Amino acid sequence: MDLNSIYSPKRLGIDATQDTRTAYQRDFDRIIFSSGFRRLQNKTQVFPLPGSVFVHNRLTHSLEVASVGRSLGSLVGEFIYKKEKEKLNKESRQFYKHNLYNVISSACLCHDIGNPAFGHSGEDAIASFFEKNESNFKSKFSEKEWTDFIYFEGNANAIRILTQQQSGKSEGGMGLTYATLVSIAKYPCESVARTKGILHRKKFGFFQSEKENFQKIASETQMIQENDKPLIYKRHPFVWLVEAADDICYNIIDLEDSHRLGIIDHDKCVNLLVDLIASLDAKGIDKVKNRLETISDKNEKISYLRAKSIGQLIQNSAKAYENNFELILNGDLDKSLLKLIQEGNNSANEILDKIEEFSVENIYNHHSVVEIENAGFNVMYELLSHFVSPILKQKKSKSEEKAIKLIPNQFLYEDGTDYQKVLGVLDYVSGMTDNYATELYRRIKGIEIGMRR
């Protein structure tokens, strides 16, 4: 891929704004001020919300990932600037030195914007609803459209939220640059091409409704097309940085949250993080231990070690990117940057495996997490049951007409195809916060009869 052609400040949609900010800085601001981003404050990251002890939600997680992504973008941008300076034109030198980190940070900021309420449990509920109602609905859709539903994916939904024109709203969604949009495309293929075991096809990256928009994104950023039918692209070089920022944060920060909630013993948490830092920076570990001795507060100790762990993982991820630059540029790397770190460092691999094993056993299967997953699944499933069938019927009963009146106009595509109508329902339901989805569920089920709001 030509480094002068893989980014673009052009936007999907209309953009006549000119000010002192760069196009990529404006992306960050547009995301921050969007309603889709704000709703992440009430979407579960791992542990139930709210609680007496502060833990991360989707919004705080996204902000932290954006911070890590900015650091990665800065390191890699400087690397590309120095290594390829003679091949870069004037605009590209400016971009890699001063703007790549803005692109990566913006992409990190919105990487979870497509996740429905209750996280992966919400995704599972949506997919399950269509799978279990195959006999009622499948005949109304093409094979590709149906596959979009039964494998509903937050990554594809993010592209939809960021790019689609809702009823009565502006063309091009948020109007982000092609550079930012391509950076979140971890799985650049359509749903029928998803294949387990292949990194860039493990899931899918766009619905059929956004296929044309995704092709524009791919064209503007010179993505390498791997296949036409089904449509598959190789990953864009910026994607690895966004993925690494996300991987770094949830590996370390979920551990910190579990410490605050008393799920992991303090000494065990300290030992895991100290060992991880030592495996990544043997020369600097004594300094870390000395500093640790001066901190008496247990939470502050873990916060300090979390910061040092993330700092080292950032440095090592940037180095892994540099060492595999040609493979990344050609779209041929088949491992995440974190996996490369593990493969190249036995000690780090062992510690990160221990952290993952602990997280799976004690965090992701903690009773409070399992409870919210079960509840969330049922809430999302029932909301879809209430809305999908009525939206597809030509002749509706009075109760079905009343159900549709609950859906805001921006999500109604009355003149659209059945596929577009159902996607409108999914836009509404998947965009809900945990609290709003639960409240609406209680009201339509008659569990709670509401006063005028």
Side-chain angles (χ1 to χ4, degrees):
M1 298 180 78
D2 179 5
L3 287 164
N4 293 300
S5 305
I6 65 172
Y7 67 93
S8 173
K10 293 180 183 177
R11 298 183 182 278
L12 190 66
I14 300 168
D15 179 59
T17 306
Q18 295 294 330
D19 60 27
T20 55
R21 298 169 298 165
T22 68
Y24 313 108
Q25 288 170 330
R26 295 208 304 274
D27 279 358
F28 191 92
D29 295 345
R30 288 182 181 197
I31 296 162
I32 282 281
F33 284 95
S34 70
S35 58
F37 181 74
R38 287 196 303 274
R39 284 195 294 269
L40 293 177
Q41 71 182 305
N42 190 231
K43 289 191 176 186
T44 302
Q45 173 65 13
V46 175
F47 296 104
L49 303 172
S52 57
V53 178
F54 173 78
V55 291
H56 291 81
N57 55 39
R58 288 283 173 187
L59 185 140
T60 50
H61 167 72
S62 297
L63 288 168
E64 289 170 345
V65 174
S67 179
V68 172
R70 184 179 63 237
S71 297
L72 281 168
S74 182
L75 289 169
V76 169
E78 186 69 20
F79 160 76
I80 293 174
Y81 173 79
K82 289 178 178 176
K83 182 179 186 298
E84 305 290 336
K85 189 173 182 179
E86 299 307 315
K87 297 179 183 178
L88 299 177
N89 60 35
K90 184 178 179 181
E91 180 186 343
S92 295
R93 289 175 188 172
Q94 186 75 8
F95 172 79
Y96 289 106
K97 193 170 178 64
H98 300 295
N99 267 311
L100 177 60
Y101 63 84
N102 285 320
V103 170
I104 303 304
S105 186
S106 294
C108 289
L109 198 64
C110 62
H111 81 283
D112 268 352
I113 206 165
N115 282 41
F118 309 106
H120 293 304
S121 186
E123 285 180 319
D124 292 343
I126 295 170
S128 231
F129 172 79
F130 289 101
E131 216 170 15
K132 291 181 179 178
N133 287 279
E134 181 176 338
S135 59
N136 297 325
F137 300 135
K138 186 178 180 180
S139 61
K140 297 179 180 291
F141 308 102
S142 70
E143 180 193 354
K144 290 183 176 182
E145 290 171 346
W146 182 250
T147 308
D148 284 354
F149 294 148
I150 62 171
Y151 295 110
F152 179 87
E153 172 57 46
N155 292 280
N157 200 40
I159 289 290
R160 178 168 171 81
I161 289 170
L162 296 171
T163 65
Q164 68 137 340
Q165 181 178 3
Q166 292 180 336
S167 294
K169 296 204 171 185
S170 300
E171 177 190 347
M174 288 191 196
L176 302 181
T177 63
Y178 289 108
T180 294
L181 291 170
V182 78
S183 299
I184 67 166
K186 287 173 67 176
Y187 310 108
C189 64
E190 53 190 327
S191 58
V192 291
R194 60 188 294 280
T195 306
K196 287 185 177 179
I198 301 177
L199 182 64
H200 67 297
R201 293 169 57 191
K202 186 170 65 172
K203 299 178 183 179
F204 70 100
F206 54 89
F207 298 126
Q208 290 302 302
S209 53
E210 280 66 56
K211 186 174 181 177
E212 186 176 331
N213 277 339
F214 196 87
Q215 287 173 307
K216 289 179 185 176
I217 295 167
S219 175
E220 287 288 339
T221 56
Q222 300 297 301
M223 289 180 74
I224 300 170
Q225 187 170 319
E226 187 174 289
N227 197 64
D228 182 33
K229 295 181 180 179
L231 186 59
I232 304 168
Y233 293 94
K234 293 186 176 185
R235 273 187 170 186
H236 189 277
F238 299 166
V239 169
W240 270 274
L241 299 174
V242 177
E243 179 182 57
D246 187 28
D247 288 348
I248 289 169
C249 284
Y250 75 72
N251 268 278
I252 304 303
I253 290 171
D254 288 351
L255 195 67
E256 182 183 20
D257 279 351
S258 71
H259 176 265
R260 286 186 176 273
L261 291 167
I263 293 172
I264 185 172
D265 175 74
H266 174 73
D267 290 338
K268 182 172 183 177
C269 191
V270 167
N271 291 336
L272 280 172
L273 293 176
V274 167
D275 289 347
L276 177 61
I277 296 164
S279 71
L280 297 170
D281 181 26
K283 293 180 180 179
I285 190 60
D286 288 338
K287 187 177 178 180
V288 170
K289 288 179 178 179
N290 290 337
R291 171 72 185 279
L292 205 59
E293 291 297 321
T294 68
I295 304 171
S296 58
D297 184 85
K298 288 186 175 181
N299 284 335
E300 185 63 21
K301 280 179 182 282
I302 300 303
S303 294
Y304 171 67
L305 291 173
R306 175 257 299 153
K308 298 302 291 186
S309 298
I310 288 177
Q312 283 304 316
L313 286 169
I314 288 171
Q315 294 293 330
N316 280 263
S317 295
K319 184 59 65 177
Y321 193 97
E322 294 172 14
N323 292 340
N324 292 272
F325 186 58
E326 294 306 319
L327 284 174
I328 288 170
L329 208 55
N330 294 327
D332 292 332
L333 185 62
D334 60 356
K335 297 177 178 69
S336 69
L337 297 183
L338 209 63
K339 183 60 68 177
L340 289 173
I341 293 171
Q342 290 180 259
E343 289 184 355
N345 185 324
N346 289 333
S347 297
N349 181 47
E350 185 180 342
I351 303 304
L352 286 168
D353 279 349
K354 282 183 181 179
I355 291 174
E356 183 179 356
E357 287 167 13
F358 175 84
S359 297
V360 170
E361 183 177 347
N362 298 289
I363 300 176
Y364 307 135
N365 284 307
H366 190 266
H367 69 87
S368 65
V369 176
V370 175
E371 280 176 3
I372 199 72
E373 285 179 346
N374 276 277
F377 184 96
N378 291 327
V379 166
M380 297 294 282
Y381 193 99
E382 289 300 323
L383 289 177
L384 289 174
S385 298
H386 193 73
F387 293 123
V388 171
S389 184
I391 206 77
L392 289 172
K393 285 187 178 179
Q394 294 293 324
K395 293 184 178 180
K396 300 173 178 59
S397 66
K398 286 188 177 180
S399 64
E400 288 169 335
E401 288 177 354
K402 294 287 186 184
I404 291 174
K405 285 185 182 296
L406 291 174
I407 303 173
N409 288 335
Q410 71 211 58
F411 302 114
L412 293 173
Y413 301 94
E414 294 176 356
D415 298 326
T417 64
D418 286 341
Y419 177 68
Q420 290 168 328
K421 290 176 182 177
V422 171
L423 279 175
V425 172
L426 293 182
D427 291 341
Y428 177 47
V429 174
S430 69
M432 293 177 183
T433 63
D434 293 13
N435 284 355
Y436 182 83
T438 303
E439 180 186 343
L440 183 59
Y441 167 82
R442 291 173 64 85
R443 289 175 185 274
I444 65 176
K445 287 294 181 182
I447 299 169
E448 179 182 295
I449 306 300
M451 301 291 288
R452 182 180 176 184
R453 287 179 290 175

